Amino acid sequence: MLLLLIACGKHEEPNFVDMRDKDGDQILNHEEDSLHKYIANIDEIKKISGTLSFNQNGLHHFPVSNDFSLKEMILHHMTIDERLIKEAPFLDEGEKLKIKKDFEIPLTKLQYQIELKLDTDSGDADQLILKTHEGEMILSAWSSIMSFQLTKDELVGVLNGKFHLLIRKNLSFEKIKSIREKTFKFYFISNKRIEIKYVSKELDFEELKHLLKIYQTVPYIEQDLLFNHQLSESPHFIHKELKNGDHFLVEISPLDLGERLKNHFTQKRHLIERLNGTSSQSIEFKNPQGLKVYLRILSLEQVLRTFGESNEKLTHGHGSGGGAFGNGPDKTTCTHYLRSIQSESKMTPSIDYLLKSINEIELIEKMTILERFNQGHLETVLTFTDSPGNMSFSLKNLKDNSYVTTGEYKNSCAHLRSQERKSSFKTNPEGKLSIEIESFVEKVL
């Protein structure tokens, strides 16, 4: 019995080892801490700058850089519409070298020897790649001075921006594919860090904020940033989620972010009027089709008229030497019936009335009406997320049968000549419909 007890010993469960890879970076979960098992381990491309040189009837030098301002890129992507974010290869932040070229050089040789010399403060990478319409080609391993050859067509393409020189870190196709499938893109700016990370889809965003020790955030609401005139100047963490699952979390003042957003729109004020029932002023936008347009109604005013009636007896003379107003031998007294504007009152018509007054029916079909409180006042914004090209905005003319006759509208004497009658006018009970609009038209990027 004693031997049996010694042989069996105490039963212990083996320690659990998490062999999964939540973020796709090919590092197993058990090899990373609680946060990094959710964030893909990627060598980021830092700022790169230098000089590109080649010989064509003398040595020519062109400054090159990856134009690297990660903060500006993140804020630009956050404040443009998601549909305008250009599709780009995954994990490509800062990979494209841009060439500053102030003049054209006629190229006459079939082949060119190129030298790329990096500045001392440039970041590190692994390869220099040429990307053409046909694909990618490795030009050189990474070093402070790289020498390679380009054909005339390749160099022309690089100089005019049709082909690109790319910086590449060693990322295998399998690793890129794995990260793409398992993560979302996370754009992050705080007063301590600016970065783009690839975060596991298994991590809920609220959990990510908790791991980052960020507990209070403000949602990104485009209309508030555009139209609210009392935006805070104090920094907040502002959160925006894209339809594709990517997230922005940026520490910035709403006032600053709102100004950046407005830079993507052309902003103007317009006055549209209908005077005495006839359309007087309209808006012509001349915009390309499909752009986002906001029409913020600053004021909507209608002037309505009431009328009063009266009559006046006048004596008219006719016959030899006769004339009007009793100057002739034959005199007739006529009653002239008159109508005049008695009062004009201002009122604010309903939005439904405005919509019924719009001339362009196709606009109403594409329009979304947004009503929001701004500084205690109800504000109306007409929104077009897919605007028709060359948008115009005008008011209908009121129908002929809506007018009344003012001045002399009848008299008791059928034989009076026109000069013996008082003037008459077509007058509409609506004296004026006036709409002041602030337009925000998305710029073409």
Side-chain angles (χ1 to χ4, degrees), residues 2 5 13 34 37 53 129 137 145 149 204 215 237 241 247 269 273 275 283 289-290 337 369 386 419 423 431:
L2 180 61
L5 289 172
E13 291 288 340
S34 60
K37 71 177 63 176
S53 305
I129 306 287
M137 176 178 67
I145 299 177
Q149 288 189 334
D204 179 77
Y215 305 108
F237 273 106
E241 181 179 2
H247 289 263
R269 288 198 174 204
E273 286 187 324
L275 302 177
I283 305 176
Q289 184 177 352
Y337 295 91
I369 301 172
D386 183 17
Q419 62 266 33
S423 299

Side-chain angles (χ1 to χ4, degrees), residues 277-295:
T278 302
S279 180
S280 173
Q281 296 187 62
S282 60
I283 305 176
E284 301 288 339
F285 290 104
K286 297 181 180 179
N287 59 293
Q289 184 177 352
L291 294 184
K292 184 187 293 183
V293 176
Y294 291 111
L295 300 180

Side-chain angles (χ1 to χ4, degrees), residues 429-443:
E430 180 191 85
K432 181 171 73 171
L433 179 62
S434 175
I435 311 147
E436 187 180 3
I437 287 177
E438 185 177 28
S439 67
F440 294 78
V441 181
E442 196 173 38
K443 293 178 181 177

Side-chain angles (χ1 to χ4, degrees), residues 216-250:
Q216 290 188 334
T217 61
V218 175
Y220 178 97
I221 301 175
E222 184 167 281
Q223 292 83 356
D224 282 348
L225 294 170
L226 280 177
F227 307 131
N228 189 343
H229 295 296
Q230 292 184 326
L231 292 172
S232 171
E233 298 181 35
S234 302
H236 295 64
F237 273 106
I238 300 177
H239 170 235
K240 180 182 183 181
E241 181 179 2
L242 303 184
K243 293 176 184 176
N244 64 5
D246 293 345
H247 289 263
F248 291 85
L249 189 58
V250 171

Side-chain angles (χ1 to χ4, degrees), residues 317-323 327-330:
H318 298 275
S320 175
N327 295 323
D330 299 323

